Amino acid sequence: MRCPPVPPDGPIPPPEARPALRVPSALSTGSAPAAMRPPPFMSCAPADTRPRTPQPPRAAPPSLVSPGVATDPYPVFRVLREGFPLVRDELLGAWVVSRYADVCGALGQEGLVAVPPGRTLTHMEGATHRAHRALVEPALRGRALAALAAGASRTAYVLARRIAAREEADLFTEFCQWLPTAAVMAALGLTYEDTARVQEWCRGGLTHLGGHHHELDACLRPHLARRRAHPGTDLLSVLCGAEVDGRPLSDEAVCGLVGSLLGGGGEATALAFASFLANLLDDPHQLALVRDERARIPAAWAESLRRDPPAPVVLRRAVRQVTVAGAPLPAGTVVACLVGAANRDPARFAHPDRYDIHRSDPGRLALGTGRHACPGAELAARTAEYGLRALLDALPGLRWAPGFRPAPRGLLTRGPRTLLVRPR
């Protein structure tokens, strides 16, 4: 008699997706009646009478909300990726997925949307999502992108020259936090006077998920009315004149999209840019290479996003049953996509912990993928490029302040919040 096949290893579906297992009461006690036991000649294998060495129980998976994880999540990411590629984190209240291929699949799924509920592209699905993306992505190119490039370059040189005369400066608070917001405001065609207010709102919780930020909405409404009456060539005019299914976008929809761009362009790009500068300053050889060959800046930026993404944990909510890492998950499930773990998956990247501007394919997970690829990714890349160019031109001796080491922190958003440097 052949032994029954052993089920293959792989992700185990959640309890609610598996049929209940009914065990006879006699078997549940570990002592089956003689009539239920197979005779010796039907045994699958000969009896093993050798003494057995007790096996230690398998370690429980670590939780993302355990103390210290936000300070350095990468050891936990490694444990999850290698031993628990799909696992329920009870403390977090989410299923956690960590391997590169599985994270790509989850982030590209139609049935997974951003949490909490909101009004940005990552909260939409189906035809509504496709229609909004079809009008937003072209709007972020052409003249609007040229406006952003001009605004980013002009602002970057002003900020860099202010720092150049200093003995010591904090690049994060004096450069990284200001530049992305100012660049997006320039692309939108909004006034410089509004930039300072928006910058404070970004610091106070306006993120790439937008949300209903009432102060931002109140600030935008007069501009929307003017753009609808007298459209220009800026990004805000393009959004005000756009239509979905033959109808113009509502003011609420435009405010949501602008909030997403400003939040992503503010917080997310500021942290990504801070990590970018930290990676280069940590390696003077690669910094010198980029200084001499400016065409390498886009590759250096993409590699920094891979190694140190500004959002290492991305939360998604299932609006219907979905399949993640081969397992069915029901509607309402929250899925934590570990972009930080996926971006250092050795099955996808050689020497994944190393920052290497020569890497030929750093992937594109840091700012989303598939249907949820961030529409502002090009804006962020242009902002980072012009920002670095300005710093390299204005601060030829740029280096860390003596004794300083950057200390990134955070899970949903991550990066160093202090960058002490010597400009000269």
Side-chain angles (χ1 to χ4, degrees):
M1 177 179 177
R2 291 190 304 169
C3 294
V6 178
D9 292 335
I12 300 174
E16 59 268 28
R18 304 196 300 267
L21 179 64
R22 292 181 173 84
V23 181
S25 59
L27 290 179
S28 67
T29 63
S31 57
M36 298 180 61
R37 301 189 192 115
F41 67 84
M42 293 182 64
S43 173
C44 292
D48 188 354
T49 59
R50 294 174 298 177
R52 295 182 178 275
T53 302
Q55 296 296 317
R58 189 185 186 193
S63 172
L64 294 179
V65 297
S66 298
V69 175
T71 302
D72 183 8
Y74 287 98
V76 170
F77 287 172
R78 185 180 305 111
V79 171
L80 291 172
R81 187 180 59 237
E82 294 176 356
F84 308 91
L86 177 67
V87 68
R88 173 76 180 176
D89 188 326
E90 295 295 345
L91 295 178
L92 182 65
W95 283 86
V96 178
V97 59
S98 50
R99 292 180 178 171
Y100 186 87
D102 296 334
V103 171
C104 283
L107 289 177
Q109 279 209 50
E110 282 277 344
L112 288 171
V113 301
V115 292
R119 54 187 179 171
T120 70
L121 281 171
T122 51
H123 295 101
M124 301 174 186
E125 61 168 340
T128 302
H129 177 273
R130 289 190 291 273
H132 280 75
R133 180 172 285 279
L135 68 91
V136 170
E137 288 185 333
L140 296 178
R141 296 192 289 267
R143 292 181 179 178
L145 188 58
L148 176 124
S153 180
R154 182 172 59 252
T155 305
Y157 277 96
V158 169
L159 295 173
R161 285 166 184 154
R162 289 177 182 173
I163 294 171
R166 304 270 300 281
E167 191 68 28
E168 188 172 290
D170 180 357
L171 282 184
F172 183 73
T173 58
E174 299 180 52
F175 196 89
C176 298
Q177 280 192 318
W178 280 99
L179 180 60
T181 303
V184 173
M185 293 289 282
L188 291 166
L190 298 178
T191 64
Y192 177 80
E193 289 72 19
D194 290 326
T195 301
R197 287 192 291 167
V198 172
Q199 175 63 33
E200 288 302 315
W201 298 333
C202 289
R203 292 180 181 180
L206 180 62
T207 72
H208 64 287
L209 295 181
H212 292 269
H213 197 287
H214 300 295
E215 290 178 299
L216 176 62
D217 288 9
C219 172
L220 289 174
R221 300 281 178 174
H223 294 289
L224 299 185
R226 285 194 289 270
R227 295 303 195 282
R228 293 192 190 280
H230 305 285
T233 58
D234 54 76
L235 176 58
L236 193 59
S237 295
V238 173
L239 294 176
C240 287
E243 295 183 349
V244 175
D245 296 330
R247 297 181 179 179
L249 286 178
S250 66
D251 284 358
E252 182 182 18
V254 174
C255 288
L257 292 170
V258 170
S260 181
L261 288 173
L262 285 170
E267 180 195 42
T269 304
L271 291 173
F273 191 37
S275 295
F276 182 35
L277 294 176
N279 279 320
L280 288 173
L281 288 167
D282 277 345
D283 192 328
H285 173 72
Q286 295 194 80
L287 176 61
L289 192 60
V290 170
R291 185 188 297 278
D292 294 338
E293 301 177 34
R294 305 294 173 89
R296 293 183 180 271
I297 292 178
W301 166 252
E303 168 66 354
S304 184
L305 289 177
R306 180 203 65 82
R307 185 180 185 272
D308 296 290
V313 177
V314 175
L315 299 179
R316 291 287 183 259
R317 175 177 54 87
V319 295
R320 55 180 175 273
Q321 179 171 306
V322 295
T323 300
V324 175
L329 301 179
T333 300
V334 175
V335 179
C337 301
L338 303 192
V339 172
N343 278 350
R344 298 197 188 189
D345 187 342
R348 173 64 175 79
F349 302 104
H351 308 293
D353 294 328
R354 179 188 303 170
Y355 177 70
D356 181 6
I357 64 174
H358 301 286
R359 194 179 300 276
S360 60
D361 181 16
R364 293 292 185 271
L365 273 184
L367 294 178
T369 187
R371 63 183 299 273
H372 281 153
C374 176
E378 183 65 21
L379 303 184
R382 291 296 183 95
T383 300
E385 178 173 357
Y386 283 103
L388 182 60
R389 284 177 178 272
L391 288 174
L392 294 177
D393 288 342
L395 315 176
L398 183 64
R399 64 196 185 281
W400 288 129
F404 176 78
R405 289 295 306 155
R409 63 181 187 273
L411 277 176
L412 296 180
T413 57
R414 181 173 179 82
R417 268 80 172 179
T418 304
L419 296 174
L420 293 183
V421 297
R422 286 286 176 88
R424 296 181 282 133

